[in-house]
Amino acid sequence: MNFQLQIATPDGLVFDGEAERVVTRTTEGDVGILARHSDYVAPLDVGKTRVRLPDGSERLGSSNRGMISVSGGVVRIVAVTFEWADEIDVERAKRAAEKARERISRQRTDRELRLAEYKLKRALNRIDVYNNR
Amino acid sequence: MAESMKAIKSRIKSVENTRQITKAMELVATGKLRHAKERIEHSRPFFELLKGTLEDIEAGNRDFSSPFTRPAAGGRTCRIVIAGDRGLAGGYNSNLFKAAAAEEGDLILPIGRKAVELYRRRGFEILSDEYAVAEDVSVGSCGAIGEELAKAFLRGDFDRLTISYTSYINVLTQAPASMEVLPIVSGKGERAKGGLIIYEPSAEAVFNSIVPQYISGIVYGALCESVASELSARRAAMEAANKNADEMISGLSLRYNRARQASITQEITEIVAGSEA
């Protein structure tokens, strides 16, 4: 059975169509959603999102914060950023990881450290998704 | 007469030069405006989904309490003011500052160079001037703004958060607007909606973790609207400037031709008078 999946970011709708299964990373861990799931909301963490399409193929994406909601059979992933594996600018992610590591090494305040750690996590996730494409 | 002809000619030249600049600015604004309008449309679904979820959580949970919904009892106000980086956009910046109506003691988060300059000059306490260039503020920096503001709100740095921006209605109309962001007040009193929603780990936790992103979403949405409004306002202002320049040029050309005609007539009169003598 399939269900409707929408993936939205502030830059627009990334995906809107039928899917058979979606697995994503919430703050509580990975969750998998199948058709006829009951209504559900959870915040997302930095992680991978796998979508299995009705034709059996799988797409991998890098998702970053936001939330997933299931409402009336429609699944919506509302992420701050979302890229499919083949859209990732891996050179940019590597540069971002480098910069974040450098920032962590000369941590000044708590806030800067947390921000740098988050940026590193995001960059490493993108690189990982790219390598698994 | 010849002297006046020369003066008129140089004025025409200078008006033409100015017209070239305003024409170029108009074209630039028109080009960027299309892009800015697309950005507004793209950001809308994201924001509406977040807002809808927050409302559902609040309306669907009776025993729900979050520090973000606590009504403000007096206290300090923090204002996000989104203005432009440059002038030459008609009343865009001044209309916005009038509508923002910041009061003494308010904390200000200015976005855009004009806003930073104004509030610094007036001696307001400024939260951060990291976002001085409105055009450079990205989704990422809006995310950081949302997180910081949510944290500062929880710390009690301020009790109310408002945002002032210019809402983009259409190419000809833009209206300055102010909106309450925090505390979040439920739009609808109660809603009898069938079916329970599962929140993981809990309704409160979901709500509190969405709030910073909701703030970011509002800031980003308002920013997109403001940028589009600024470009529209500049385009309209430049169009008016072009029209003015055209009118001036045609008026001056008329005067120039009259002066030329007069000087020729005078010369003929002098020649005729000379030959008769």
Side-chain angles (χ1 to χ4, degrees):
Chain A
M1 264 191 84
N2 303 326
F3 57 87
Q4 195 193 346
L5 172 69
Q6 291 183 325
I7 302 178
T9 73
D11 292 324
L13 215 54
V14 180
F15 182 88
D16 186 359
E18 296 271 296
E20 200 183 303
R21 185 184 70 188
V22 56
V23 179
T24 189
R25 170 69 56 91
T26 72
T27 50
E28 300 296 292
D30 279 358
V31 291
I33 308 274
L34 296 171
R36 303 177 61 114
H37 194 286
S38 57
D39 288 357
Y40 172 82
V41 178
L44 297 181
D45 200 356
V46 179
K48 298 181 188 67
T49 295
R50 277 174 206 282
V51 180
R52 189 193 282 165
L53 300 171
D55 62 7
S57 64
E58 257 202 343
R59 287 192 86 177
L60 180 66
S62 127
S63 47
N64 164 26
R65 303 214 264 195
M67 59 162 201
I68 179 166
S69 87
V70 185
S71 164
V74 181
V75 180
R76 295 189 179 90
I77 292 180
V78 186
V80 176
T81 64
F82 187 97
E83 301 95 18
W84 294 112
D86 45 21
E87 289 167 356
I88 289 175
D89 184 347
V90 75
E91 289 311 314
R92 196 180 145 200
K94 277 178 185 158
R95 277 201 304 277
E98 209 47 55
K99 220 167 119 190
R101 276 208 186 90
E102 188 212 341
R103 278 207 184 144
I104 289 171
S105 65
R106 49 183 179 87
Q107 42 162 306
R108 278 162 293 183
T109 62
D110 236 25
R111 182 198 150 195
E112 280 168 343
L113 183 64
R114 265 203 315 276
L115 196 70
E117 272 174 351
Y118 162 63
K119 283 191 170 153
L120 180 60
K121 200 170 160 189
R122 201 173 58 183
L124 290 179
N125 180 52
R126 284 202 176 117
I127 296 169
D128 202 25
V129 167
Y130 181 81
N131 292 336
N132 278 311
R133 95 202 112 107
Chain B
M1 254 320 142
E3 195 56 39
S4 157
M5 263 168 74
K6 210 175 148 197
I8 294 171
K9 194 146 201 181
S10 77
R11 277 211 60 198
I12 292 179
K13 193 107 196 157
S14 110
V15 173
E16 269 170 357
N17 281 339
T18 312
R19 192 189 180 284
Q20 261 176 7
I21 296 169
T22 55
K23 183 80 200 165
M25 283 180 76
E26 185 194 340
L27 289 176
V28 169
T30 312
K32 283 188 179 170
L33 181 61
R34 198 178 330 120
H35 181 70
K37 277 200 311 217
E38 271 169 24
R39 225 166 56 143
I40 296 181
E41 269 156 37
H42 285 164
S43 70
R44 241 168 225 165
F46 172 82
F47 175 63
E48 271 160 19
L49 283 173
L50 280 184
K51 197 174 175 210
T53 309
L54 282 180
E55 279 172 359
D56 283 348
I57 297 176
E58 226 217 330
N61 291 272
R62 222 167 273 251
D63 52 349
F64 175 78
S65 80
S66 161
F68 290 113
T69 55
R70 198 176 42 212
R76 207 165 183 206
T77 305
C78 176
R79 289 173 200 276
I80 309 170
V81 182
I82 306 177
D85 298 326
R86 274 174 233 111
L88 287 178
Y92 172 75
N93 287 313
S94 60
N95 286 345
L96 178 82
F97 294 139
K98 240 180 269 162
E103 287 156 26
E104 219 171 298
D106 287 351
L107 199 61
I108 306 281
L109 176 62
I111 298 178
R113 199 173 293 134
K114 288 278 167 189
V116 175
E117 278 167 14
L118 179 93
Y119 289 107
R120 182 163 297 147
R121 202 166 55 230
R122 294 209 183 147
F124 280 95
E125 192 184 328
I126 284 171
L127 200 60
S128 157
D129 55 5
E130 259 176 75
Y131 311 106
V133 185
E135 244 172 74
D136 291 351
V137 178
S138 63
V139 185
S141 25
C142 283
I145 293 175
E147 302 262 316
E148 284 306 311
L149 287 175
K151 250 180 238 148
F153 183 79
L154 290 180
R155 270 203 307 269
D157 290 3
F158 51 84
D159 303 286
R160 258 177 85 218
L161 178 64
T162 69
I163 185 164
S164 300
Y165 66 104
T166 308
S167 130
Y168 178 83
I169 299 161
N170 58 41
V171 187
L172 295 173
T173 330
Q174 303 92 34
S178 286
M179 187 169 122
E180 299 275 326
V181 184
L182 288 177
I184 294 167
V185 277
S186 54
K188 310 144 198 178
E190 68 214 79
R191 202 159 37 164
K193 209 179 157 196
L196 288 168
I197 305 173
I198 305 167
Y199 294 104
E200 241 177 32
S202 70
E204 272 97 344
V206 172
F207 191 87
N208 291 344
S209 83
I210 291 176
V211 166
Q213 289 163 17
Y214 168 73
I215 302 173
S216 321
I218 291 185
V219 174
Y220 185 69
L223 187 74
C224 291
E225 296 240 349
S226 292
V227 169
S229 299
E230 184 188 354
L231 292 170
S232 292
R234 178 161 302 125
R235 202 188 68 97
M238 290 303 117
E239 205 178 78
N242 281 340
K243 235 171 91 188
N244 267 343
D246 284 341
E247 266 168 34
M248 273 178 85
I249 291 171
S250 77
L252 285 170
S253 308
L254 202 67
R255 267 171 60 194
Y256 176 78
N257 286 338
R258 278 209 193 109
R260 200 174 73 101
Q261 195 70 57
S263 78
I264 292 170
T265 313
Q266 199 187 2
E267 270 170 36
I268 292 173
T269 320
E270 276 164 10
I271 293 167
V272 171
S275 70
E276 272 175 2

